[in-house]
Amino acid sequence: MACTDHSKMTALPPTDFNATLSARDLAAIWHPCTQMRDHAAADGAGVPMIPIVRGEGAWLIDANGKRYLDAISSWWTNLFGHANPRIAAAVKDQLGHLEHVIFAGFTHEPAIQLAEELLRIAPPGLARVFYADNGSSAVEVALKMSFHYWRNLGSPGKTRFIALTGSYHGETLGALSVTDVPLYRATYAPLLLDPIFIAAPDCYERESGESWQTHSLRKLADMRAALERHAANVCAVIVEPLVQCAGGMRMYHPAYLTGLRALCDEFGVHLIADEIAVGFGRTGTLFACEQAAITPDFLCLSKGLTGGFMPLSAVLTTTSVYDVFYAEYTSGKAFLHSHSYTGNPLACRAALATLAIFRDEPVLERNRVLATRLAERLAPLADHPNVAEVRQTGMIAAVELVRDKFPRAEFPAAERRGLRVYRHGLDHGVLLRPLGNVVYFMPPYVITPEEIERMVDVAMAGIESAVA
Ligand code: PMP
């Protein structure tokens, strides 16, 4: 912990704690989703590396004591604030009992209780929980389980998946295969599976005057056509319910999911709902699927599952899927997938404490008030000449920046306008991390109305300077 014990670093002037840690970091670490060269010039065009030593509610505090409002919940993981005392206490308590145990042949009460609790709150019909330790791994599990289900049933010809354009499901090779964000996928395309991509119901693309519902329902025709042609070879359709997050916070109407569930049933393919980003209240309901009154065959959860404390993921599935794997060992039907940290007890305790907060506090009701406030504060941006759309689903809001509004013309990606917003945010104590030209807000649920004001004010000023 020497890195946070500033009293021992007396040789340095107080303002240099950030610089010292940043220099040590950049000499030793290779960061995710980062062109490391961007950090080389911390002045001028460069991007600073910011060492965080403490978190408190919606705030992150760097080594020099500067505070940043975490408008993106640290990659959409945090729900109830950094260093949330209730979740921290649960993890601390578990540390005194059991940090980890092999999860094959052995079990523990936190994992059992968490599975029972997840099945209680999840859409009806889900009856089994398979644990993994991050979002991408959960997607790998769902893809493999679906394929293996059909194989066990004697349909080995089902080898392909259907995904939506603009989708994001993770970075491991299977999850990346069903991802359609060129920035992440294009380089590795030669290594990937060959899914069928179908036009998303993305309402940013709707005709002028068309409602979200009409547009989303219209897009089901493309899915039907794909299933008519390919269903015999398709294991599953995988979607991000209601909001395609990493693809630019593109949103659609729940009616699409209801229709998609019916199509999957009609054509005999599974439906995988990747609620890794949108689960646990982000879209206004505990799970996004609830708004469409559907139960997927596989529900992938991670991120907010532990309140943002620990890596953990879970794939929930049905008894009818489970039963197809349940056989004599020698039949080779078992699902032999495993990760060393499957069902980690510390992570399960963090998750149980997170779910206890949902149980004990009116989280979704409070979020409705916060979401309304966010919508009111963002509304004026809709008229901005460089804003094509302001959209929102629950606690996720996004502002789409464009060079021209009518007709829409994008800013070239190479201009990195979003990066200008990011830097402006950091200068003014707000962590915004636009996705290309989409500035978005996905704050922890403990954000206050005053903090929403501040977050939006800083973003608006950042947008002004970025589009200039
Ligand atoms: N699916 C979705 C919808 C996601 O948003 C993400 C992460 N952004 C993932 C999967 C992958 O999760 P992880 O980063 O934990 O591997």
Side-chain angles (χ1 to χ4, degrees), residues 76 134-136 139 168-170 240 274 276-277 303:
W76 324 335
N134 63 77
S136 301
V139 171
Y168 179 96
H169 297 289
E240 292 162 88
D274 174 353
I276 288 162
K303 292 193 187 270

Side-chain angles (χ1 to χ4, degrees), residues 96 180 260 312 431 439:
D180 180 46
L260 178 60
L312 181 69
L431 168 48
V439 180

